[in-house]
Amino acid sequence: MNIYDKYEAVIGLEIHAQLATNSKAYASDSASFGDLPNTNISPITLGHPGTLPVLNKKNIEFAVKLGLALNSTIRKVNEFARKNYFYADLPKGYQITQDKTPICNGGYVTLFPNTEREKKINITRIHLEEDAGKSMHDQDPFNTLIDLNRAGVSLVEIVSEPEIKSSDEAYEYVTQIRKLVRYLEICDGNMEEGSLRCDANVSVMLKGSTTFGERTETKNMNSIRNVKRAIDFEIKRQIDLIEAGERVEMETRSFNAADGSTTLMRSKEEAHDYRYFPEPDLQPVLVEENYIAEVKKGLPLLPNELYKVYTNEYGLSEYDANLIIESKPLGLYYNELTQHTKNYKAASNWLNGSIKSYLNENGITIEDFVLKPIKIAALIQLIDEGKVSNTVASQHIFPIMINQPDIEPIAIAEQNNLIQESNDDDIINYIDIVIEQNPTEITRFKNGEKQLMGFLMGQLMKVSEGKADPKKANVLLREKLN
Ligand code: ADP
Ligand code: MG
């Protein structure tokens, strides 16, 4: 037995999501990303004596949205605390956070919904906090530079229970959270720019054991794929240590994207004692039932709900449903499309097929797509009524529609002589041409090479320029040849 098979992994994730508020958590400075360094730094952000923080109301709204979407319990009385430590990018010398009273408790993320692998991962808590500034080590050969624009920007931290068992599950968990914050429009979910950051707590233990092993916490993964790589590396590293008779130390490690390894950042001995105490400059915030109800009313359709409707009611495959809910604008487009056609499967095929190819080829998103869903629905109807074939629709009509978005597909089909011919006489005409043009194949077919039917049908479609109704043509061709 492979030594790695003797062990199982235990994983808990901490995700920091930067809230998409205009101003910071406790100051009115702009929270925008990418401004000139140190331009959004009021005396409050810099922690000058005598300044007072004021809570940004949006923080509460966004955290409540997230909590509701994750089925968490929302706390009524929210207090704030100071988490003290000394670091160059932390001008106040402390972060305002929530220590004992996180705004959300409990809730869960459903991994791989509607599949055999479906599994709930419980959320421990979600709390509000503020970001630190940014130390830049790669801008100057000798000095570390500090940009304090990010100091004080709103964050939520989402802490999971240690219930994730593999790097695949972790990948799915972060994917779900990212999709969710984007649907809720509370965070842009951009891991490269650091608006979504994930720390992975990993330990291993012998299979079936009930005592968790010592854990490490790995930081600095700038993509979901790198979260997975970091976890895979840690699991293997820890098993190798144990198998070599050594111990896993509780420590914080840093991920290196270049080779997928993790290296020691600081050990437990150096761990901070944050000396939390209640923030004296902020009053507790009361989150009332009617406020929660109000926020709940404003929640958009969520990806998992859409997924259920698409797979259970619309009969889409998991794969197709996932492609559609991947981004909110696509989901919205599809939803609108299904207001105009009941052929859900065709609607999904058009969106995931021709439309996405067009978007990719032109480097645009669905929001910039010129054709409104109702136009695509009209095209689907043409096909369903047998007026044009799928091929004619996608290869001829669709490209013309894109150039002339105001013209109805039926008009395009008529103007361009693309209406499918289901008239027997017309089709028989085409059949005669095919027979005349392919004497050898016809003889071979008659001598038993029945597989030539495909070739002959192909010729027929070609002769008819794609307009012959294929079902009818097939029947008539067989009749004629037999
Ligand atoms: P800390 O302040 O030490 O980071 P938190 O409570 O904020 O502690 O987060 C701990 C995270 O580590 C949680 O996501 C939790 O599920 C996870 N965790 C706790 N124990 C283990 C363990 N033995 N192995 C893996 N993950 C663990
Ligand atoms: Mg931690």
Side-chain angles (χ1 to χ4, degrees):
M1 182 178 173
N2 184 328
I3 56 161
Y4 300 103
D5 294 339
K6 290 197 299 192
Y7 294 86
E8 60 183 288
V10 174
I11 301 158
L13 299 178
E14 294 164 82
I15 294 183
H16 284 92
Q18 217 174 65
L19 296 179
T21 52
N22 294 326
S23 55
K24 293 185 181 178
Y26 311 105
S28 59
D29 315 359
S30 164
S32 76
F33 177 86
D35 288 355
L36 272 182
N38 300 308
T39 50
N40 302 321
I41 46 168
S42 66
I44 298 180
T45 293
L46 296 178
H48 285 191
T51 57
L52 289 172
V54 178
L55 177 73
N56 185 341
K57 263 199 278 183
K58 278 275 170 201
N59 285 9
I60 302 289
E61 182 192 326
F62 284 5
V64 170
K65 274 189 171 163
L66 182 60
L68 289 174
L70 289 170
N71 309 291
S72 308
T73 309
I74 313 292
R75 179 179 306 278
K76 190 162 176 217
V77 184
N78 282 270
E79 286 158 11
F80 297 88
R82 286 191 185 176
K83 177 180 180 179
N84 300 282
Y85 62 95
F86 179 77
Y87 202 73
D89 61 19
L90 189 73
K92 292 204 294 274
Y94 59 86
Q95 268 174 305
I96 303 177
T97 177
Q98 291 188 298
D99 178 28
K100 303 233 159 43
T101 62
I103 186 157
C104 309
N105 275 95
Y108 55 86
V109 172
T110 308
L111 306 186
F112 310 113
N114 287 16
T115 68
E116 278 171 16
R117 290 200 285 169
E118 175 167 326
K119 173 174 175 182
K120 276 185 181 153
I121 304 295
N122 286 295
I123 305 281
T124 314
R125 62 168 202 268
I126 303 172
H127 62 259
L128 289 163
E129 57 182 39
E130 58 176 333
D131 217 337
K134 203 170 179 177
S135 306
M136 294 174 288
H137 308 287
D138 54 358
Q139 306 280 311
D140 181 284
F142 305 110
N143 299 294
T144 289
L145 304 183
I146 305 267
D147 175 8
L148 293 177
N149 281 350
R150 204 178 68 181
V153 167
S154 308
L155 296 177
V156 283
E157 178 172 344
I158 308 157
V159 182
S160 85
E161 287 291 304
E163 296 174 346
I164 299 167
K165 302 298 295 179
S166 67
S167 63
D168 282 334
E169 287 186 3
Y171 188 98
E172 165 79 0
Y173 176 90
V174 185
T175 304
Q176 295 260 3
I177 295 274
R178 183 171 68 176
K179 214 184 303 172
L180 188 62
V181 297
R182 285 177 168 168
Y183 265 77
L184 293 169
E185 294 178 18
I186 61 170
C187 167
D188 68 24
N190 190 329
M191 291 186 79
E192 255 158 54
E193 290 178 358
S195 11
L196 194 80
R197 307 194 279 274
C198 176
D199 302 339
N201 296 271
V202 178
S203 66
V204 297
M205 61 185 182
L206 284 174
K207 267 192 184 147
S209 164
T210 47
T211 321
F212 289 173
E214 195 63 91
R215 73 177 147 117
T216 62
E217 179 174 341
T218 303
K219 295 177 177 294
N220 295 332
M221 292 82 86
N222 66 354
S223 66
I224 303 185
R225 194 173 79 89
N226 282 342
V227 171
K228 179 174 152 68
R229 290 171 76 205
I231 291 170
D232 284 333
F233 183 89
E234 264 309 293
I235 294 174
K236 177 168 185 306
R237 189 188 68 86
Q238 293 183 12
I239 294 175
D240 289 343
L241 273 179
I242 295 169
E243 286 289 316
E246 290 171 54
R247 287 178 40 155
V248 175
E249 301 290 341
M250 184 161 183
E251 58 198 18
T252 304
R253 302 180 67 85
S254 176
F255 177 72
N256 318 302
D259 62 358
S261 68
T262 70
T263 42
L264 178 65
M265 258 171 96
R266 53 177 182 265
S267 66
K268 193 177 161 55
E269 278 68 37
E270 300 158 43
H272 296 110
D273 176 358
Y274 294 115
R275 302 272 159 173
Y276 284 97
F277 66 86
E279 164 61 63
D281 291 338
L282 284 173
Q283 290 189 315
V285 170
L286 298 186
V287 180
E288 307 278 8
E289 281 304 325
N290 55 5
Y291 175 81
I292 297 173
E294 206 54 41
V295 173
K296 196 171 199 165
K297 256 193 261 160
L299 284 182
L301 273 176
L302 299 175
N304 272 356
E305 294 166 2
L306 292 177
Y307 180 89
K308 267 192 208 145
V309 174
Y310 296 168
T311 51
N312 292 344
E313 291 171 32
Y314 290 6
L316 301 192
S317 68
E318 286 150 20
Y319 181 79
D320 285 339
N322 270 323
L323 280 180
I324 295 168
I325 61 167
E326 196 169 87
S327 93
K328 184 173 181 177
L330 274 182
L332 289 180
Y333 191 95
Y334 183 72
N335 266 9
E336 199 179 325
L337 186 48
T338 55
Q339 307 289 305
H340 300 293
T341 175
K342 292 282 159 270
N343 193 342
Y344 305 126
K345 184 77 190 138
S348 151
N349 289 343
W350 274 93
L351 186 56
N352 288 330
S354 300
I355 296 178
K356 265 203 192 156
S357 312
Y358 174 80
L359 300 178
N360 291 342
E361 277 162 23
N362 291 278
I364 58 172
T365 64
I366 190 81
E367 287 144 302
D368 299 322
F369 185 52
V370 291
L371 295 176
K372 297 277 161 277
I374 194 166
K375 284 278 154 53
I376 301 297
L379 185 55
I380 292 172
Q381 194 183 346
L382 275 193
I383 302 164
D384 288 349
E385 287 171 349
K387 294 214 172 86
V388 299
S389 68
N390 229 321
T391 319
V392 166
S394 62
Q395 291 179 5
H396 299 292
I397 303 179
F398 180 68
I400 301 175
M401 284 169 74
I402 289 173
N403 288 326
Q404 302 177 317
D406 296 326
I407 304 185
E408 287 303 318
I410 178 78
I412 294 176
E414 279 165 355
Q415 282 163 20
N416 294 276
N417 197 20
L418 293 169
I419 298 287
Q420 188 160 273
E421 285 166 6
S422 46
N423 176 319
D424 285 8
D425 291 344
D426 290 335
I427 295 176
I428 287 169
N429 255 336
Y430 295 133
I431 292 176
D432 289 340
I433 299 174
V434 171
I435 291 175
E436 195 184 302
Q437 289 180 349
N438 304 280
T440 354
E441 283 79 6
I442 297 292
T443 319
R444 281 167 55 200
F445 180 86
K446 286 189 170 155
N447 290 338
E449 287 186 52
K450 297 296 173 207
Q451 72 277 17
L452 280 170
M453 192 63 191
F455 167 81
L456 294 171
M457 270 302 292
Q459 291 304 303
L460 198 152
M461 292 315 284
K462 205 161 139 192
V463 169
S464 76
E465 294 174 318
K467 286 191 300 183
D469 176 345
K471 265 191 219 128
K472 223 169 210 179
N474 197 290
V475 174
L476 291 174
L477 182 61
R478 275 176 205 281
E479 272 173 16
K480 184 95 180 182
L481 293 179
N482 290 332

